Amino acid sequence: MNSNYNRFFIPSPVYTGKSLELPDYVLNKLVNTLRQKQGDIIRIFNGEKEFLATITELQSRRIKIMVGEEITYVKESPLKLHLFQCILKNHNMDLVIQKVTELGASYLTPVLSKNSLVKLQANKMDKKMAHWFEISRHATEQCGRIKLLKINYPIKLEQMVMQNNTTDCFTLNPTDGRRLFELKQVKAEVAVCCGPEKGFDKSEVEFLSKIGFKNIILGPRTLRAETAAISGISALQTLWGDL
């Protein structure tokens, strides 16, 4: 089987042998960018299963496919990762969402902290959530995952609560903490909190410690916020996940 077929996320039930109309957001990419034609084969997935499919009808505003055989997908990481990311400036936040999706994170919760340079307005929150979803969807289609990154609604840092006993919780702290290699093992579920561009306020580090987050330092150099998040998830996946 050719693994290079273009992949598309379909937010609906998918069954072998059924005809299906593709959602609108696929049209421009499939027709104008990828130049796909009637009879071409693509791959579709819905977060649970993945299938081959043949394009049976291709028009400027309508594309229909016939769903073919179910195919084996890349399994999810054995490490269930939840990133609590203090909201970054637009490009930086997009980059983190894209890369942690590729790296196999399961959940992402945007966090508003005292030093965040971005202050989200309530009337623009839904638009921002839709934008973040699109970033993650594109990354999922390209990297071969079948499950999308679950992006939760933003919360204030002080709204974070004690995680359950099945989760190891870490704060990425550039000045104080243990190195990851010093930890003998971690639990199957891990929560990681990464600060904004200006770093955590001292009171926030203290608060996170009180609710069970342990300080982790990522080497001797001070990393940019987006680098820290990506590096932290990469290191955890390398040590206990699927990298």
Side-chain angles (χ1 to χ4, degrees):
M1 183 192 72
N2 185 352
S3 61
N4 294 321
Y5 293 129
N6 293 306
R7 302 176 76 241
F8 300 96
F9 171 68
I10 309 298
S12 61
V14 180
Y15 304 99
T16 296
K18 298 293 184 179
S19 179
L20 189 68
E21 187 169 338
L22 295 181
D24 290 343
Y25 60 75
V26 175
L27 297 177
N28 181 63
K29 180 177 180 181
L30 196 146
V31 176
N32 298 322
T33 303
L34 299 174
R35 305 288 185 181
Q36 301 262 212
K37 304 181 296 296
Q38 186 171 324
D40 284 351
I41 298 174
I42 61 174
R43 295 165 65 182
I44 60 171
F45 65 100
N46 65 351
E48 297 295 333
K49 297 180 179 180
E50 184 164 359
F51 301 83
L52 292 177
T54 303
I55 299 173
T56 57
E57 182 180 334
L58 194 153
Q59 301 178 16
S60 60
R61 296 191 177 278
R62 178 175 177 174
I63 299 176
K64 296 186 72 174
I65 59 173
M66 178 61 70
V67 181
E69 65 177 295
E70 183 179 344
I71 58 178
T72 303
Y73 59 88
V74 179
K75 293 183 177 180
E76 292 294 302
S77 170
L79 196 61
K80 186 175 291 186
L81 290 162
H82 188 160
L83 175 63
F84 290 86
Q85 176 62 60
C86 293
I87 297 174
L88 308 175
K89 290 186 291 186
N90 291 341
H91 173 73
N92 293 340
M93 193 69 179
D94 291 353
L95 180 66
V96 168
I97 290 172
Q98 180 189 67
K99 298 310 177 187
V100 301
T101 297
E102 295 175 11
L103 289 166
S106 304
Y107 305 96
L108 184 140
T109 299
V111 176
L112 290 162
S113 64
K114 291 182 178 179
N115 291 335
S116 293
L117 299 177
V118 177
K119 306 299 180 184
L120 292 182
Q121 298 177 357
N123 63 342
K124 295 183 179 180
M125 198 73 78
D126 288 343
K127 183 177 180 180
K128 181 60 71 174
M129 290 291 292
H131 171 74
W132 288 336
F133 173 80
E134 287 300 300
I135 296 294
S136 180
R137 178 179 65 80
H138 280 295
T140 306
E141 289 176 343
Q142 293 171 1
C143 76
R145 289 185 68 179
I146 192 170
K147 291 186 178 297
L148 276 71
L149 176 71
K150 169 64 175 175
I151 303 178
N152 297 316
Y153 210 71
I155 62 172
K156 295 180 180 179
L157 190 140
E158 57 267 28
Q159 292 176 312
M160 292 176 61
V161 297
M162 181 79 71
Q163 300 294 295
N164 57 50
N165 292 331
T166 64
T167 304
D168 272 328
C169 304
F170 303 115
T171 299
L172 300 184
N173 189 326
T175 60
D176 178 59
R178 300 178 67 187
R179 301 285 186 90
L180 280 174
F181 70 80
E182 296 177 20
L183 304 176
K184 300 304 180 183
Q185 62 181 15
V186 299
K187 297 174 181 177
E189 298 184 19
V190 175
V192 178
C193 188
C194 182
E197 286 91 345
K198 294 176 64 176
F200 291 109
D201 184 86
K202 181 180 178 181
S203 63
E204 293 176 330
V205 176
E206 293 173 350
F207 169 77
L208 289 169
S209 178
K210 287 180 181 178
I211 65 171
F213 280 74
K214 304 170 186 175
N215 287 335
I216 290 294
I217 188 168
L218 297 174
R221 293 166 294 280
T222 300
L223 304 179
R224 293 171 62 95
E226 65 273 22
T227 307
I230 297 167
S231 299
I233 298 300
S234 298
L236 286 163
Q237 288 286 45
T238 299
L239 292 171
W240 298 286
D242 61 357
L243 294 186

